[in-house]
Amino acid sequence: MSKRTRAASLTTCVAASVAFGAVLAGPADATGKDTSASKHTSTNASAKVTKGKATKASAWPKFLSASQLPPHPSSSWTAGKVTDGVPDELRFCIQDTLPGYDSRYRDFRTDLDTNAQQLTFVVGSSAKAKALATRLNKDIRACATRIEQSDPETEAALKDYGKLSVEEGAHAYGLHTETSWGATDINLYSVGRDGRAVTLVRWAQMGDFSDAPVKAFKKTTTTAVNKLY
């Protein structure tokens, strides 16, 4: 694990361990604009033929906007562009589930250390989406143990904040990490599903469970799932 010096600055990486990946310095979108995801289409957006008629593939699900993140007390949020792939901040906890799925994500930043990501998958059927959501929930519940096994100098604790009643359902969690040299971070995660789409939202900053805006994060998750389709 890299023992990088922590500082509340956009030019410094802020992370409790490489388990979460480096939180990249600087705003994700240098223009500060909230780039719309509605123009993006699925990576499998070639024409489909049904009963002899060509029909276009459905557009990729919509993403959260900056204003829909939990409010920050002293800084506004900036939303980055929707990008193919998986953000580094999410890879450690869900790496066993990732292969074989098309995905897109969006980064969100404040002027301080608080950051967030939304990652969305679209699969072939509602049944496959349900199975994917189940695996992602399992990965998040197991992440604290995985962190401690990968680095004995880091302690991790998980809180289950329960289910959310939205579309085909969502679930929220809190994950706190603290290193032997004093770095402490709080992460909120949620997994939600609507039809063939599954979305994972992460919010993070330096602190502990008492610093987590759980109620606002649940509202953000509900909005994220409702916006999928």
Side-chain angles (χ1 to χ4, degrees):
M1 172 179 288
S2 176
K3 299 182 180 179
R4 298 172 181 170
T5 302
R6 300 169 55 83
S9 142
L10 293 178
T11 59
T12 310
C13 291
V14 283
S17 86
V18 294
F20 300 105
V23 178
L24 302 180
D29 181 2
T31 65
K33 295 181 179 179
D34 186 2
T35 309
S36 173
S38 62
K39 295 181 181 179
H40 287 264
T41 55
S42 170
T43 51
N44 295 320
S46 56
K48 296 181 178 179
V49 178
T50 304
K51 295 182 180 180
K53 295 181 180 180
T55 59
K56 293 183 179 179
S58 59
W60 194 271
K62 295 180 181 179
F63 281 73
L64 290 165
S65 62
S67 63
Q68 292 166 333
L69 273 291
H72 192 281
S74 60
S75 175
S76 60
W77 285 95
T78 298
K81 296 179 180 180
V82 175
T83 304
D84 291 337
V86 178
D88 290 338
E89 292 88 346
L90 293 175
R91 286 186 178 276
F92 182 82
C93 284
I94 65 170
Q95 61 187 2
D96 292 341
T97 299
L98 291 177
Y101 293 102
D102 289 332
S103 62
R104 288 181 175 176
Y105 70 92
R106 193 175 208 179
D107 277 318
F108 302 88
R109 307 286 172 191
T110 66
D111 291 336
L112 301 176
D113 67 301
T114 310
N115 65 93
Q117 295 80 35
Q118 181 184 8
L119 171 66
T120 298
F121 302 87
V122 176
V123 297
S125 67
S126 293
K128 290 181 179 179
K130 182 178 180 180
L132 174 58
T134 297
R135 290 197 295 273
L136 290 171
N137 277 290
K138 183 178 179 181
D139 287 343
I140 293 172
R141 288 194 295 268
C143 195
T145 299
R146 174 178 284 186
I147 291 169
E148 291 186 339
Q149 289 175 343
S150 68
D151 183 3
E153 294 191 59
T154 299
E155 294 183 357
L158 181 80
K159 281 191 177 182
D160 188 330
Y161 291 123
K163 296 180 180 180
L164 305 178
S165 181
V166 54
E167 299 298 343
E168 273 78 45
H171 208 118
Y173 307 88
L175 180 62
H176 175 243
T177 58
E178 184 172 3
T179 67
S180 61
W181 59 93
T184 179
D185 290 270
I186 180 65
N187 295 259
L188 297 177
Y189 290 89
S190 61
V191 177
R193 182 173 71 90
D194 183 7
R196 297 186 301 112
V198 178
T199 195
L200 192 161
V201 182
R202 171 185 176 266
W203 172 98
Q205 70 173 32
M206 291 186 289
D208 56 28
F209 286 116
S210 66
D211 301 303
V214 177
K215 184 177 180 179
F217 182 74
K218 287 183 175 181
K219 182 178 179 181
T220 293
T221 297
T222 299
T223 301
V225 177
N226 277 326
K227 288 187 74 172
L228 291 173
Y229 290 119

